[in-house]
Amino acid sequence: PIVKQTDANFRIKTKSGGFIKYYGYVSANTTGFRTEDIDSIVLKNAFSIQNLNTFQNLNWKDNIGSGWKINTGISFSTNKDDINNESQNAQNEKVTTINPAYSYKNFTLNNTAKYAQARLVLEKKLFGISAVRFGTDYFYSNEKTTYTLNNGTKFNQQIKDNIIAAFAETDIYVTNNLAAKVGTRLEHSEIINKWNIAPRISLAYKVGINSQASFAYGIFYQNPERKYLPGLASLNYSKANHYIFQYTKQTRDITFRTEIFYKKYDKLYKTATDMNGRELAANNNGYGDAKGIELFWRDKKTIKNVDYWFSYSYLDTKRDFLNYPSAIQPSFAATHTAAFVFKRFVLPIKTGFNLSYNFATGRPYYRIAKD
């Protein structure tokens, strides 16, 4: 592989105490390799990719008077992949044949993607340390793909979306021990031509010295993934309702945190296969839920010169989405996961010894027959 990259950044402090920051980079790389062809004892399979990736980000954060603050930024990125795959002989020369078992291995795939985001947030201090903030988001994405077969046949696809959003939220300190964050978000996606509104609220209560209990509720939406577009039918956002309760006790040497959650999923994407064998989103009839508990304990006091922590997660989830025949546990979900880390410091010789252990129960596997 050959990799070339350059980046630049600057930071300017304004007269009113704010900052203007920029970061950007350009990266180019070429990678290629040959392997023995799995379908032949004399041919090779040659793969190569040329990639060009850029990213630019500019932010401005400042005080604009009368208790108002502004936080705004814009970013733009591009990505270009030129992929070439071909069958080759012992002399590394391209082999062209009409045999369908080999001809499909000679192809090129060119993908160009452009992304942009802009955000503006205004914040105003209210009484005490309470505050209100509101703003707007804009997301732009444009992905073009051209797949060319060995015989010159081309398949073109373009997925373009413009997402606009407006949001508002407020931090309210009701008492010295009780705080609330209330907000909502309004969003529109061009690719599915639909609106959504997502209210969210969280409450935090100080229950004792160094202890806090909190509850959060929110609605979240998600567009269909690019690989499922265009869909076989008119699609909507997938939706999730989150209910999360958390308790935390933290001192300089001890940390204990536990979280109980329930998440309900609606309008998940079900998939079907088109005439060309490609899997596309067919409808929003999928559903599911997830519930569980997480625990975390860290102790830097009990054992001298030792810092250890333990975490555990229990997850009970089922979903009926994609090509699943019913509501079953997804293949990416493990019911039990745990981790233990132990650090021992030997100060006289300025050395540390670390031990870690991770555990996870097996993930399910399903042989789901395609239609």
Side-chain angles (χ1 to χ4, degrees):
I2 301 174
V3 179
K4 300 177 182 179
Q5 180 170 321
T6 182
D7 62 82
N9 67 86
F10 65 78
R11 181 171 177 171
I12 301 174
K13 186 174 182 179
T14 66
K15 294 182 179 179
S16 53
F19 288 95
I20 298 174
K21 296 186 292 184
Y22 165 81
Y23 174 75
Y25 73 82
V26 178
S27 175
N29 68 79
T30 301
T31 302
F33 57 86
R34 292 184 179 90
T35 59
E36 294 182 358
D37 192 298
I38 193 173
D39 299 313
S40 171
I41 60 174
V42 296
L43 297 180
K44 303 176 184 178
N45 190 68
F47 174 88
S48 66
I49 179 172
Q50 291 182 315
N51 172 263
L52 177 64
N53 181 261
T54 70
F55 175 76
Q56 317 295 322
N57 181 271
L58 182 66
N59 290 280
W60 174 41
K61 185 176 182 180
D62 215 336
N63 299 304
I64 55 177
S66 302
W68 285 93
K69 293 182 179 179
I70 186 173
N71 190 347
T72 185
I74 186 171
S75 66
F76 181 75
S77 63
T78 65
N79 188 79
K80 188 175 186 296
D81 291 319
D82 293 325
I83 298 173
N84 183 73
N85 195 89
E86 61 185 35
S87 293
Q88 294 183 348
N89 58 23
Q91 290 74 40
N92 298 330
E93 298 171 335
K94 182 178 179 180
V95 175
T96 302
T97 175
I98 60 173
N99 186 337
Y102 297 99
S103 61
Y104 77 94
K105 298 182 180 182
N106 294 310
F107 67 86
T108 61
L109 179 64
N110 305 107
N111 184 76
T112 302
K114 298 178 181 179
Y115 307 100
Q117 179 182 0
R119 165 174 280 204
L120 171 66
V121 181
L122 297 174
E123 180 178 333
K124 169 71 172 178
K125 289 293 184 182
L126 302 177
F127 54 90
I129 55 176
S130 298
V132 61
R133 67 186 63 87
F134 56 89
T136 182
D137 273 333
Y138 171 69
F139 300 89
Y140 168 81
S141 63
N142 188 353
E143 299 183 36
K144 299 179 182 180
T145 301
T146 300
Y147 180 71
T148 307
L149 297 177
N150 184 57
N151 61 7
T153 303
K154 294 181 181 292
F155 298 91
N156 298 303
Q157 184 187 61
Q158 181 176 11
I159 303 297
K160 182 180 178 181
D161 198 10
N162 288 280
I163 300 175
I164 56 173
F167 57 89
E169 66 177 23
T170 181
D171 296 330
I172 302 175
Y173 288 81
V174 183
T175 68
N176 289 336
N177 295 328
L178 178 63
K181 183 188 291 287
V182 182
T184 189
R185 180 181 178 89
L186 179 68
E187 187 177 84
H188 178 269
S189 171
E190 179 185 57
I191 199 167
I192 59 177
N193 194 27
K194 295 184 184 297
W195 290 88
N196 71 61
I197 184 168
R200 295 160 193 176
I201 183 172
S202 63
L203 300 171
Y205 184 73
K206 187 177 180 180
V207 295
I209 299 176
N210 302 317
S211 299
Q212 176 179 286
S214 63
F215 171 78
Y217 166 77
I219 299 177
F220 300 85
Y221 293 92
Q222 184 175 343
N223 282 22
E225 294 182 54
R226 180 189 184 279
K227 62 182 178 180
Y228 299 128
L229 294 172
L232 296 175
S234 178
L235 298 177
N236 205 334
Y237 300 96
S238 59
K239 179 182 178 182
N241 290 270
H242 290 192
Y243 305 82
I244 301 173
F245 174 79
Q246 186 180 93
Y247 172 79
T248 303
K249 183 177 180 63
Q250 184 170 5
T251 64
R252 187 179 67 175
D253 298 317
I254 301 291
T255 300
F256 172 72
R257 182 172 64 251
T258 182
E259 180 176 291
I260 301 173
F261 61 87
Y262 174 73
K263 301 176 182 180
K264 180 176 174 57
Y265 306 109
D266 293 304
K267 300 181 179 179
L268 299 182
Y269 302 110
K270 296 287 290 182
T271 58
T273 305
D274 65 8
M275 293 188 306
N276 296 318
R278 182 178 172 222
E279 194 173 44
L280 300 175
N283 56 58
N284 284 100
N285 296 338
Y287 62 93
D289 66 3
K291 49 187 175 290
I293 184 170
E294 295 182 354
L295 300 171
F296 177 82
W297 169 264
R298 184 171 187 175
D299 182 1
K300 297 187 287 185
K301 180 181 179 181
T302 304
I303 306 175
K304 186 178 180 181
N305 296 328
V306 168
D307 179 12
Y308 73 92
W309 62 86
F310 169 80
S311 63
Y312 167 76
S313 176
Y314 168 75
L315 175 63
D316 178 13
T317 180
K318 291 183 178 181
R319 301 187 192 187
D320 181 6
F321 74 139
L322 303 182
N323 63 340
Y324 283 27
S326 61
I328 54 181
Q329 182 177 340
S331 58
F332 55 78
T335 303
H336 303 278
T337 57
F340 176 74
V341 177
F342 183 91
K343 294 186 175 184
R344 174 71 163 87
F345 304 100
V346 184
L347 298 180
I349 59 176
K350 298 179 180 179
T351 303
F353 298 92
N354 302 329
L355 171 69
S356 66
Y357 175 77
N358 293 278
F359 168 82
T361 53
R363 300 179 182 182
Y365 169 77
Y366 308 100
R367 186 177 179 84
I368 300 175
K370 292 186 177 180
D371 295 336

